[in-house]
Amino acid sequence: MKDWFLSVISEKQLTNKQFKEMKSVVNMMYDYAISYNYTNINIPRQIRGFSDRIFREDVEKPITETVYDSVAKNDVIKEALK
């Protein structure tokens, strides 16, 4: 299973966040299988120790593509009006 995770990380050039989201889905699938007695153990939950060096670096978005939530937007407007 760990070898499969590593191959997907390198093949798809996943970031750490993308990998964690993928692993969460796999964990949910195993939890579902356990609930229906297809298996007794959630193998992905036992796998740890992935090096940060294997993940693609997040590329920071240009300022024109940055999205702010309403709280951050209001804070910026208040600060600009001062």
Side-chain angles (χ1 to χ4, degrees), residues 10-67:
S10 78
E11 181 181 317
K12 303 294 184 186
Q13 293 293 302
L14 299 180
T15 64
N16 191 13
K17 181 179 179 180
Q18 290 170 329
F19 168 70
K20 287 179 181 178
E21 290 172 358
M22 179 191 74
K23 192 167 184 251
S24 293
V25 172
V26 175
N27 282 332
M28 287 186 268
M29 290 172 22
Y30 267 86
D31 289 340
Y32 178 83
I34 289 169
S35 70
Y36 283 92
N37 296 318
Y38 294 126
T39 187
N40 295 328
I41 187 169
N42 188 332
I43 296 169
R45 290 193 196 279
Q46 310 302 315
I47 300 172
R48 292 183 176 77
F50 292 95
S51 171
D52 288 339
R53 295 179 301 192
I54 63 173
F55 300 108
R56 179 177 55 88
E57 293 290 324
D58 279 329
V59 178
E60 193 170 320
K61 291 182 179 182
I63 194 71
T64 56
E65 294 181 19
T66 304
V67 179

